[in-house]
Amino acid sequence: VTNGGKTTLAEKLKKLLPNCDIISQDDFFKPESEVETDERGFKLYDVLDALYMDEMVKSIRNWMKSPASSGIVTEELQNTCDNLKNTEDVYILIVEGFLLYNYEPLNELWNRRYFLTLPYEECKRRRSTRVYQPADTPGYFDGHVWPMYLRYKNELEENASNVVYLDGTKSQEELLSCVYSDILQELKKLRE
């Protein structure tokens, strides 16, 4: 969901996890001139066609081929993670974005899936506090953003498995604790 805390959570996790990097879907938006406009004049940013998804897949695959050369500083983080001993050769890539699970070529790459949700009113309130370039036009949230979120969330629920849904109204600390604990369990399984 837009403004659900995806980037904040990813950045906080990166600080806690050794050998961790982030790829953000926001870095793959097409320029405004290449984004379609509907009959109401809304720029259609909340659809897969507004993104260079093939480039994103390529970036993820390149990272997977050589995570150690991705510029991650490991020693300093490793020393702060006593409970993550023996993970020096485990690399973690957090991919954050709003349409990740609806793009089939990505679905074979995930080890874990987290999906932040927000109720309509809270999402709209948070969205109204953000400044976008280009700016949201009047009616954009109700006319495009929220309907696309519902559409893609419904698709996800029909087609994807092993998704952990997270309540975006919980505090940042609660969300971080939940996901961090889950990742620690996954790392423990890898070591065993």
Side-chain angles (χ1 to χ4, degrees):
V1 68
T2 183
N3 294 277
K6 299 175 297 294
T7 303
T8 301
L9 179 59
E11 289 171 356
K12 287 178 181 275
L13 285 166
K14 182 178 178 180
K15 289 178 183 175
L16 292 175
L17 296 166
N19 305 330
C20 184
D21 210 355
I22 298 171
I23 290 180
S24 175
Q25 191 174 36
D26 285 351
D27 295 335
F28 297 90
F29 271 109
K30 293 178 179 176
E32 184 180 0
S33 62
E34 292 182 38
V35 176
E36 286 187 50
T37 304
D38 73 5
E39 66 280 351
R40 299 165 294 182
F42 293 149
K43 283 286 188 181
L44 303 180
Y45 280 104
D46 290 64
V47 298
L48 286 167
D49 286 344
L51 298 145
Y52 292 118
M53 292 303 294
D54 290 340
E55 291 299 314
M56 184 176 194
V57 172
K58 189 185 305 181
S59 293
I60 293 168
R61 288 191 184 282
N62 286 340
W63 184 94
M64 291 170 74
K65 286 178 196 168
S66 185
S69 66
S70 63
I72 299 168
V73 179
T74 60
E75 185 178 334
E76 177 182 313
L77 277 173
Q78 192 62 45
N79 292 337
T80 66
C81 297
D82 293 337
N83 56 345
L84 294 178
K85 287 180 179 156
N86 303 320
T87 59
E88 56 273 348
D89 52 354
V90 174
Y91 293 87
I92 300 167
L93 178 63
I94 297 171
V95 181
E96 67 93 7
F98 66 108
L99 290 174
L100 299 174
Y101 309 138
N102 300 90
Y103 190 66
E104 193 56 40
L106 287 174
N107 285 330
E108 65 193 50
L109 304 177
W110 309 128
N111 294 93
R112 301 297 288 160
R113 298 177 199 222
Y114 302 98
F115 190 92
L116 281 155
T117 63
L118 281 178
Y120 168 83
E121 289 297 332
E122 178 62 12
C123 186
K124 188 171 185 175
R125 185 194 67 74
R126 289 184 189 184
R127 178 86 180 200
S128 71
T129 66
R130 298 269 299 268
V131 177
Y132 289 92
Q133 230 16 51
D136 283 356
T137 56
Y140 188 67
F141 181 84
D142 288 318
H144 176 65
V145 175
W146 190 255
M148 289 297 97
Y149 163 68
L150 293 176
R151 174 182 157 197
Y152 285 114
K153 183 176 181 268
N154 185 47
E155 268 183 34
L156 168 70
E157 290 168 347
E158 289 177 9
N159 301 316
S161 59
N162 300 322
V163 177
V164 177
Y165 290 89
L166 302 170
D167 179 354
T169 62
K170 290 188 175 178
S171 72
Q172 291 178 7
E173 293 76 23
E174 284 179 277
L175 290 170
L176 178 62
S177 176
C178 174
V179 176
Y180 181 66
S181 296
D182 190 55
I183 292 171
L184 291 182
Q185 288 301 312
E186 288 299 305
L187 290 173
K188 185 178 177 184
K189 287 179 196 173
L190 283 173
R191 286 193 307 258
E192 291 171 349

